[in-house]
Amino acid sequence: MATYVDEMRKLFTTNCRTRDIQAHTAKVHSVAWSCDGRRLASGSFDKTVCIYALDKERLDVEPDDDGAEVAAAATQPAHAAVPADAAPALNGEDGDWSPEATDIIIQDFTEHTGPRHNLGPHACPLDFFWLMFPIALLTILVEETNRYAQQCIMRIPNSSWYDTDINEMRAFLAIQIIFGIKQQPQLWMYWSEDRRFNDAWVSGIMTIQRFKNLSRYFHCRDTSATPPRGRENYDPLFKVRNVIQTTQRTFNECFQVCRDLSVDECMVAFKGRLSF
């Protein structure tokens, strides 16, 4: 492995070169490489698409025919030198531009979209939740929580702990959801003897001591098997990776998305810390 890394480092060091190009007058929103790696396309808010030919060191600037900002740039697999949104005709094998334009052929969307489950029209929200959060995942949460509790109790005894089960784990997750809907300044208020603060539903499910124990030992995976930082198989999301993979699979099984999707940009700057 070390030899391969050294060879790749040497290759990039020997062949690496940079060049600054003033191609756009506004923010560049998207870039795309051609399939043969010889051209780079960029789309900008200045309503232009720029094509830079690496082999010829030539820059071509094409205006957008619609007179709108170019939000995304892409290339056609069949013609590596041609941007998919411009799609001009090729004149010769060298990929030069032609004054004639050709129509864009887009295949019809034939996927069957929408729900892919057997729940009827009278299903409640909880039924949909358990579709995406299956019993198999709850079983893993119970097993790993009990495992981690025993590992901790070997170091620091806790006489108030006893193993949890699936029904209690469901109740624990339900309380967590309720906390996000009905918020209190302090945790103890949900179990307060003062009826102005007490939540009869939460306090009737489990004691505050039991809730604290579950919160203390709650685990999704066996952390004793976590790959250390710096190893090739290190995963910063190892502790919740199985939950992510399970929900991704169940989401896809329950609903087939449509052709056109809109993903909103984050409007609030993230101020936390991430190692990846």
Side-chain angles (χ1 to χ4, degrees), residues 81-99:
V82 183
D85 58 348
L90 291 176
N91 184 13
E93 296 181 356
D94 58 351
D96 290 336
W97 291 95
S98 168

Side-chain angles (χ1 to χ4, degrees), residues 111-133:
E111 291 288 338
H112 297 286
T113 63
R116 298 195 296 187
H117 55 75
N118 297 322
L119 294 180
H122 301 294
C124 67
L126 190 59
D127 295 328
F128 289 92
F129 178 81
W130 294 127
L131 271 180
M132 296 174 286
F133 212 86

